[in-house]
């Protein structure tokens, strides 16, 4: 049984991919001569640095947290559980050998839970307000990364509550 008391929330783009994937997408778009695809791929290359840095930050944070005694004072990486920078943070925690929390939202054409979050700590919400409540309730720190309207919504909701 795991007791979750302290979390570090990671908010950020659902569209970011790792550097290797972004570079491959750009090369493929350039080879195909797809100008629109090249512009989109260049944006993903720019976002990729945040993906890679988020993996590293979450890994370091999770490894550091594992050294805190008593264990009830440790911090858990927490994300929206989806792709992009959320996946990167869950991935970093896993690479450190630690569990991470995913607060997913059920949307008809959007995100699915990423496979890096701990299965037993993957929760799916049907209402944004309940999901945001749990982000706020557990958070001791927040890492806000580049993102879109969803990231801004979550960030400003927490800022308002603080």
């Amino acid at each position: 049984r795991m007791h979750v008391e302290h979390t570090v929330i990671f908010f950020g783009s659902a569209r970011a991919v790792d550097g290797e994937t972004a570079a491959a997408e750009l090369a493929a778009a350039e080879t195909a001569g797809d100008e629109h695809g090249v512009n989109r791929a260049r944006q993903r290359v720019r976002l990729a640095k945040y993906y890679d840095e988020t993996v590293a930050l979450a890994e370091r944070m999770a490894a550091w947290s594992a050294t805190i005694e008593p264990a009830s004072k440790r911090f858990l990486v927490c994300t929206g559980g989806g792709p992009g920078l959320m996946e990167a943070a869950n991935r970093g925690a896993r690479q450190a050998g630690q569990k991470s929390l995913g607060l997913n939202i059920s949307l008809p054409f959007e995100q699915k839970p990423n496979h890096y979050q701990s299965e037993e700590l993957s929760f799916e919400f049907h209402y944004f307000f309940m999901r945001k409540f749990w982000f706020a309730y557990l958070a001791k720190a927040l890492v806000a990364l580049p993102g879109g309207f969803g990231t801004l919504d979550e960030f400003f909701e927490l800022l308002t509550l603080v």
Side-chain angles (χ1 to χ4, degrees), residues 104-111 124-128 131:
N104 301 280
I105 186 81
S106 59
L107 298 171
F109 302 106
E110 287 290 329
Q111 72 182 45
E124 186 169 331
F125 293 88
H126 299 286
Y127 301 103
F128 281 101
R131 180 178 183 236

Side-chain angles (χ1 to χ4, degrees), residues 79-130:
T79 74
L85 298 177
M86 296 174 278
E87 174 187 285
N90 292 123
R91 182 178 183 176
R94 178 173 285 181
Q95 286 179 189
Q98 301 302 309
K99 295 184 182 300
S100 66
L101 182 60
L103 303 179
N104 301 280
I105 186 81
S106 59
L107 298 171
F109 302 106
E110 287 290 329
Q111 72 182 45
K112 301 286 184 248
N114 71 64
H115 62 277
Y116 292 105
Q117 62 192 302
S118 301
E119 190 174 324
E120 69 274 21
L121 295 174
S122 177
F123 299 93
E124 186 169 331
F125 293 88
H126 299 286
Y127 301 103
F128 281 101
F129 76 91
M130 284 305 297

Side-chain angles (χ1 to χ4, degrees), residues 24-108:
E25 287 177 2
L26 179 57
E30 288 173 337
T31 299
D34 177 8
E35 188 176 327
H36 176 70
V38 168
N39 289 335
R40 208 171 103 212
R42 284 186 180 139
Q43 175 61 22
R44 287 178 54 100
V45 167
R46 285 191 289 278
L47 273 176
K49 81 174 193 173
Y50 295 105
Y51 184 102
D52 297 336
E53 290 173 356
T54 300
V55 171
L57 175 62
E59 183 175 13
R60 287 193 306 266
M61 198 283 307
W64 163 77
S65 180
T67 68
I68 296 173
E69 292 298 335
S72 64
K73 299 292 184 190
R74 293 180 182 163
F75 295 86
L76 198 63
V77 167
C78 179
T79 74
L85 298 177
M86 296 174 278
E87 174 187 285
N90 292 123
R91 182 178 183 176
R94 178 173 285 181
Q95 286 179 189
Q98 301 302 309
K99 295 184 182 300
S100 66
L101 182 60
L103 303 179
N104 301 280
I105 186 81
S106 59
L107 298 171

